[in-house]
Amino acid sequence: MVRAQHRLILALLLVSLALVLAACGSGPRSASGQAAQTGNVAADDGEVVVVTIKNFKFEPAHITVAPGTRVRFVNEDPTPHNVVQGTVADVGRKDHTPLFESPELQEGQSWEYVFDTEGEFAYVCTVAGHYLMGMVGSVTVTADSEAVAAAAASVPSTEPTDAEVEHDHTHDAAPALSMQALVDAYPDLYSLKPEGLVELQPFRVEGNVKEFALDIQEVQHELIDGVVVTAWAFNGILPGPTIRVQEGDIVRVHFTNTHHQPHTIHWHGIYADQEHDGVPHTSAAVMPGETRVYEWVAEAPGTYWYHCHVDSYRHVDMGMYGAIIIEPKDPEAVTWANEYTLILDDWDSNVDAMATRYEPNHNYFLLNGRAFPDVPTLTLKVGETTRIRLINAAYSNVAMHMHGPSFMVVESDGKPVPLPYEKDTLDIAPGERYDIEVTPRKAGLYPFHAHNLRYVTNDGMYPGGMHLMLDIRP
Ligand SMILES: [Cu+2]
């Protein structure tokens, strides 16, 4: 009852504010002010047209209204959205000053704007690249009553929706499940590898069809002891679990988006059908709550990886990646005794994942999601060949240098190199993979590290970053 009275008083205040603004001349104006996010404005002050924000879309995306119409934007998504005047090109310009800009609307919140002058008013949602997902709309304001009447047929009624519930929808990240805890909880599904990766087993195998399940979780992840960041992590771990299959397998991945952002999975290096390529604009994004089954054929043995392809600069940087290993069908083709996979990544421990402009300044450099000294030591044996699969998920080239034994470069991007060659320093471009083989002659402890020396620091402190030790045993 008290709450209802408050709403009435607030409504009266807002109506009087609208009247004051109306007296101040022409031009679109916000009826409810920048701070008001709830839709409790009296509906009898001029016409109200409702635009619903749902499933990352404005509905209807285009409306035609008469001057003086109040447009109410109601967010029905669990994800925060906003309404900012401008086209996608406009909002991409740093000097763009929007004519109107709502605050961030949480689920159930709404915001209103009065369109007074005739014209075309484009708008987008600028939250975390949502306009890339098609969150664009426009309002045509015209005094041509016939045009308005024709458009009105497809416009919802002026009745306000019951969207006034203030919903506290915070996205507090869950603490990361440690890799060991995940393996302990689901021993049939996961196995922990000595290089600090978790391998995912198929939940169903029928003939050569292997089916895997991935979801996406916002977790607290520790880069090094005491440095905890928010990550968007496949199955709650960083890197996401490794998918290991055999040449000729048909791979089906059931991806459930258990996160508040749209995502996809792109299979980097795999020649999937277009609809399974995981690019939102050539297939489809997987919206929060949706499940999509990706299918592709493991055509050629080698090292590949998967990553999200929505707003990639942000989503890959937030940790949405994992390794794919396709084993040769012929077991004789495995000529190495032992193997490790290392995924290189760079991280900004201060970045705001939800900022409109995603501008990371990487200050941590990771091997399998962790920085030195919190990375595993790799064990090798004199006279024995170890294959190391290197995947660069970072945004810069990384020159990996091995002390002690040099190595043979045997494969690149999942293809055997025509003539294997010997190196001690290997430049790996973003997205590239190299398989190298080491057959040490002497026992000892030898570093293997990025020779971009900024990458062997943790937030400027040496030693750290992309650095690990090879423990070569007799
Ligand atoms: Cu994503």
Side-chain angles (χ1 to χ4, degrees):
M1 205 48 209
V2 173
R3 192 178 159 81
Q5 280 173 4
H6 281 168
R7 280 189 188 165
L8 182 63
I9 292 165
L10 182 60
L12 289 170
L13 283 172
L14 290 172
V15 167
S16 24
L17 177 63
L19 290 172
V20 168
L21 286 170
C24 288
S26 61
R29 56 196 153 78
S30 165
S32 49
Q34 289 298 314
Q37 295 182 21
T38 49
N40 44 4
V41 177
D44 53 2
D45 180 41
E47 201 194 350
V48 176
V49 172
V50 175
V51 174
T52 304
I53 307 173
K54 202 169 167 59
N55 297 323
F56 290 78
K57 294 273 180 287
F58 294 104
E59 290 174 1
H62 181 79
I63 55 173
T64 302
V65 300
T69 303
R70 179 177 303 192
V71 178
R72 178 178 301 154
F73 296 89
V74 184
N75 182 16
E76 294 187 4
D77 266 348
T79 305
H81 295 297
N82 66 16
V83 182
V84 178
Q85 182 270 325
T87 62
V88 171
D90 290 336
V91 299
R93 291 200 325 264
K94 283 202 167 171
D95 61 353
H96 173 62
T97 306
L99 207 54
F100 53 87
E101 181 174 10
S102 79
E104 199 163 278
L105 304 175
Q106 304 298 318
E107 181 178 14
Q109 291 185 324
S110 64
W111 177 80
E112 294 186 352
Y113 198 77
V114 175
F115 289 84
D116 270 350
T117 45
E118 289 191 76
E120 278 278 332
F121 301 96
Y123 60 84
V124 301
C125 170
T126 63
V127 173
H130 286 181
Y131 53 84
L132 289 173
M133 303 312 308
M135 292 201 68
V136 298
S138 65
V139 179
T140 302
V141 184
T142 173
D144 177 353
S145 54
E146 278 182 22
V148 174
S154 59
V155 169
S157 81
T158 58
E159 279 301 302
T161 60
D162 185 20
E164 295 169 8
V165 183
E166 281 171 42
H167 185 91
D168 178 24
H169 194 87
T170 49
H171 302 296
D172 289 337
L177 205 55
S178 78
M179 289 185 170
Q180 187 62 57
L182 189 64
V183 173
D184 290 346
Y186 305 97
D188 296 338
L189 273 182
Y190 297 100
S191 53
L192 185 59
K193 297 290 159 187
E195 69 268 43
L197 289 176
V198 162
E199 227 167 77
L200 177 63
Q201 303 306 315
F203 67 85
R204 186 159 52 208
V205 179
E206 277 177 16
N208 66 338
V209 179
K210 289 182 179 155
E211 295 183 74
F212 299 87
L214 289 178
D215 64 17
I216 175 71
Q217 298 166 32
E218 193 156 315
V219 297
Q220 294 294 302
H221 175 79
E222 201 167 48
L223 301 178
I224 54 165
D225 191 23
V227 178
V228 176
V229 295
T230 297
W232 298 352
F234 285 110
N235 291 13
I237 51 169
L238 183 77
T242 301
I243 294 176
R244 182 183 283 271
V245 291
Q246 231 192 29
E247 181 183 0
D249 281 346
I250 293 169
V251 182
R252 258 179 224 150
V253 180
H254 299 243
F255 173 48
T256 301
N257 185 352
T258 44
H259 191 229
H260 56 75
Q261 296 293 304
H263 300 293
T264 62
I265 307 181
H266 166 63
W267 314 97
H268 189 118
I270 306 281
Y271 197 170
D273 293 344
Q274 181 186 315
E275 64 188 295
H276 296 290
D277 193 37
V279 174
H281 302 96
T282 58
S283 52
V286 186
M287 294 299 178
E290 285 181 358
T291 296
R292 182 187 174 92
V293 182
Y294 290 101
E295 183 175 314
W296 42 270
V297 179
E299 286 182 344
T303 305
Y304 305 86
W305 61 302
Y306 61 89
H307 62 81
C308 179
H309 216 291
V310 173
D311 196 357
S312 327
Y313 189 43
R314 179 191 315 262
H315 290 220
V316 178
D317 211 40
M318 289 304 294
M320 298 192 66
Y321 60 79
I324 300 170
I325 294 164
I326 303 179
E327 293 180 338
K329 201 174 187 121
D330 175 12
E332 299 279 296
V334 181
T335 53
W336 53 97
N338 190 20
E339 71 168 65
Y340 300 111
T341 300
L342 296 176
I343 308 181
L344 320 177
D345 188 18
D346 40 15
W347 203 282
D348 177 355
S349 64
N350 304 306
V351 82
D352 175 3
M354 298 301 288
T356 299
R357 287 177 191 283
Y358 187 77
E359 297 174 313
N361 184 13
H362 298 123
N363 57 343
Y364 285 90
F365 306 91
L366 315 178
L367 292 171
N368 293 344
R370 309 268 284 168
F372 185 80
D374 294 340
V375 293
T377 291
L378 305 184
T379 305
L380 287 79
K381 214 171 162 220
V382 169
E384 205 175 79
T385 298
T386 295
R387 177 172 286 222
I388 301 177
R389 302 171 187 270
L390 299 162
I391 301 170
N392 189 358
Y395 289 176
S396 304
N397 284 46
V398 180
M400 287 300 290
H401 170 58
M402 189 175 287
H403 292 220
S406 48
F407 50 81
M408 298 299 289
V409 177
V410 292
E411 279 190 26
S412 176
D413 292 350
K415 284 107 191 153
V417 297
L419 196 60
Y421 54 100
E422 195 170 354
K423 296 281 285 174
D424 60 53
T425 309
L426 182 66
D427 187 27
I428 312 168
E432 245 187 338
R433 289 90 61 215
Y434 281 97
D435 286 17
I436 61 172
E437 287 185 357
V438 196
T439 313
R441 288 183 287 113
K442 296 178 191 172
L445 278 170
Y446 294 93
F448 182 38
H449 66 88
H451 222 289
N452 326 50
L453 293 176
R454 193 164 80 88
Y455 299 177
V456 287
T457 61
N458 292 331
D459 199 19
M461 297 295 285
Y462 179 90
M466 291 176 185
H467 179 294
L468 55 70
M469 298 304 293
L470 304 178
D471 179 6
I472 302 173
R473 300 193 179 166

